[in-house]
Amino acid sequence: MQSLFVRDLAQVVSPAGRAAPLRGAALRSVDVLEDAYVLCRDGRIAEVGRMREVHQLGDDVIEIDGRGQVAIPGLVDCHTHACFGGDRVSEFDLRAGGATYEELHAAGGGILSTVRATRAAGEPRLREAVSRHRGWMLAHGTTTFEAKSGYGLDCETELAQLRAIAAAGAVPTWLGAHAVAPEFASADEYLDFMLAEVLPEVAALAEAADIFLERGAFDAEQARRYLEACRARGLALRLHADQFTEAGGVPLAVELGARSVDHLEATGENGVRALAASDVTAVLLPVAALVLARPQPPARALVDAGAAVALATDFNPGSAFCESLPIVCALACTQLRLTPAEALAACTVNAAHVLGRAKRLGRIAPGFAADLVLLGAPDWRYLAYHLGGDVVSSVLKDGQVAWARTPAAA
Ligand code: NIG
Ligand code: FE
């Protein structure tokens, strides 16, 4: 493989140190190198340094002009639902007219309407959908993303979703307990079926299991049963919890040693304290709260108490049809009271930690994957500052240019 030399960058910026996840004051510590370069070799970062220290490079090196740009690590989206059929634009219209997400869900819309469309799509169209969404994410700087199943709720479609996710190079999570499939009379009967018939098949395809613990979905006892069975099959554990109500998801996540608990819009002081004292990462999803006009999660309290915090899009057709981590960072800094440094760490190193990849992803440092985002900006904080702007100018994945903004016609 060739070497790539990204030269004359205004800044090269990376979360400091080698620890993961970062918490407390360490979450605020970024290394900023000015007038700098990054040398990539064989898909990895070989060197990072200042231009005045550049030594002789071999003939096989391809150069990229970084003037007027800054490099940050490739962004990691650790929570998406990027594999689905259809859309929910009509529901978006109804919600704009006053209907609530929970009302639509209770009336058989919401998640269940995407289940119908996903079952009808078939695997080839699901593969196309994930690959299309991967392209959208890449254009916003996401070089690694997780994606969940959970819109099949039957064996065939859940497996098709996980295969489509893996085929797109994403990290697959089995969300077998997203909602109760319409064929079942109760949540318990549905879980009996999923654990007996589907879990043995998905265990080899997925890296983690996830559940929606919420009024109208699954309760804490059902979540315990599902997650313990998944853990016994070697899956890492994640939970959607405290989105609308505090229903025991945080203590359960801590007790079971989950990788993450995600949403947390309704989490109170006890939950914040419990997370801060644990190894469970709090994954915050500010777009979902914004779109559903719900309160934002207690991000500042979590960080100040010492919890490990990550940020993600929650990209899905209902509550968060948004693939942009730069927009998530802007919301984090304006609505969640995080600093730009905290936001950057939360969607790089800490998100990589949630996916079990923090030794390889989330930093610009020798030995890490050569996944870089070049921002067309004089300062890395434009990532969060330029809300909705075309801040990403190009994206490198494994040392190759994976996406570049085409210059506007003169
Ligand atoms: O994380 N809350 C549950 N699941 C998703 C939404 C999925 C959907 O509405 O289709 C979430 O917000
Ligand atoms: Fe989600």
Side-chain angles (χ1 to χ4, degrees):
M1 245 197 213
Q2 76 214 8
S3 299
L4 203 75
F5 181 59
V6 191
R7 60 177 303 148
D8 292 307
L9 288 156
Q11 299 176 325
V12 174
V13 178
S14 177
R18 289 283 172 139
L22 294 174
R23 306 166 179 262
L27 200 59
R28 233 165 293 145
S29 134
V30 282
D31 288 334
V32 180
L33 216 55
E34 300 202 323
D35 193 18
Y37 69 88
V38 183
L39 178 65
C40 310
R41 197 176 294 128
D42 299 330
R44 300 219 167 214
I45 293 167
E47 282 177 35
V48 184
R50 290 194 205 272
M51 282 309 293
R52 61 169 187 267
E53 290 151 9
V54 173
H55 52 82
Q56 195 63 42
L57 297 163
D59 292 340
D60 62 334
V61 173
I62 294 178
E63 294 199 3
I64 293 187
D65 181 0
R67 274 176 301 175
Q69 301 178 81
V70 307
I72 60 169
L75 303 177
V76 177
D77 197 341
C78 66
H79 180 142
T80 87
H81 305 251
C83 180
F84 55 85
D87 63 33
R88 303 240 288 278
V89 65
S90 304
E91 201 175 276
F92 175 77
D93 192 339
L94 290 174
R95 275 195 285 114
T100 71
Y101 182 78
E102 281 180 296
E103 278 164 15
L104 292 164
H105 180 70
I111 292 170
L112 291 176
S113 78
T114 300
V115 169
R116 291 188 287 277
T118 303
R119 287 178 176 181
E123 191 165 331
R125 271 162 62 204
L126 291 178
R127 286 181 186 237
E128 278 167 32
V130 193
S131 139
R132 179 167 66 250
H133 299 150
R134 177 186 57 193
W136 295 359
M137 290 186 216
L138 194 63
H140 294 275
T142 297
T143 48
T144 300
F145 67 104
E146 176 258 20
K148 303 169 195 299
S149 65
Y151 290 126
L153 311 183
D154 63 20
C155 192
E156 187 191 334
T157 318
E158 289 288 315
L159 287 169
Q161 280 197 283
L162 291 171
R163 283 192 297 262
I165 290 163
V171 179
T173 296
W174 184 44
L175 180 51
H178 197 191
V180 178
E183 302 77 35
F184 290 84
S186 74
D188 281 306
E189 281 172 44
Y190 171 69
L191 286 182
D192 288 343
F193 167 76
M194 285 314 243
L195 295 177
E197 305 295 329
V198 186
L199 173 59
E201 305 275 328
V202 300
L205 283 173
E207 294 191 14
D210 198 343
I211 183 161
F212 186 22
L213 201 176
E214 188 57 67
R215 182 176 66 196
F218 299 92
D219 67 23
E221 270 324 295
Q222 289 159 345
R224 174 192 300 282
R225 183 156 78 91
Y226 171 82
L227 292 171
E228 282 178 343
C230 292
R231 186 173 60 181
R233 290 278 184 166
L235 297 174
L237 306 183
R238 308 195 48 186
L239 293 85
H240 281 68
D242 293 0
Q243 183 179 8
F244 301 102
T245 53
E246 251 188 321
V250 168
L252 185 66
V254 173
E255 182 198 323
L256 297 180
R259 278 264 179 85
S260 75
V261 57
D262 306 37
H263 274 292
L264 303 173
E265 290 89 329
T267 302
E269 278 173 28
N270 289 341
V272 168
R273 262 197 300 276
L275 282 171
S278 80
D279 288 329
V280 181
T281 299
V283 177
L284 309 180
L285 310 164
V287 173
L290 179 80
V291 167
L292 301 183
R294 306 280 309 170
Q296 290 288 350
R300 192 67 257 157
L302 283 161
V303 172
D304 289 344
V309 167
L311 287 164
T313 59
D314 196 19
F315 176 70
N316 75 72
S319 63
F321 195 52
C322 172
E323 66 278 15
S324 166
L325 280 170
I327 285 181
V328 168
C329 288
L331 293 174
C333 294
T334 57
Q335 312 301 302
L336 270 61
R337 299 199 293 125
L338 298 188
T339 67
E342 289 168 339
L344 180 70
C347 61
T348 53
V349 50
N350 282 12
H353 172 75
V354 170
L355 302 183
R357 284 159 167 77
K359 288 197 161 60
R360 218 173 58 77
L361 302 179
R363 284 190 160 96
I364 303 183
F368 277 67
D371 294 353
L372 304 179
V373 180
L374 303 191
L375 304 177
D379 185 295
W380 66 275
R381 292 169 295 186
Y382 273 59
L383 174 70
Y385 170 53
H386 195 173
L387 174 57
D390 288 340
V391 68
V392 173
S393 61
S394 55
V395 183
L396 273 61
K397 169 101 175 141
D398 297 322
Q400 314 257 1
V401 178
W403 183 85
R405 185 173 300 286
T406 40

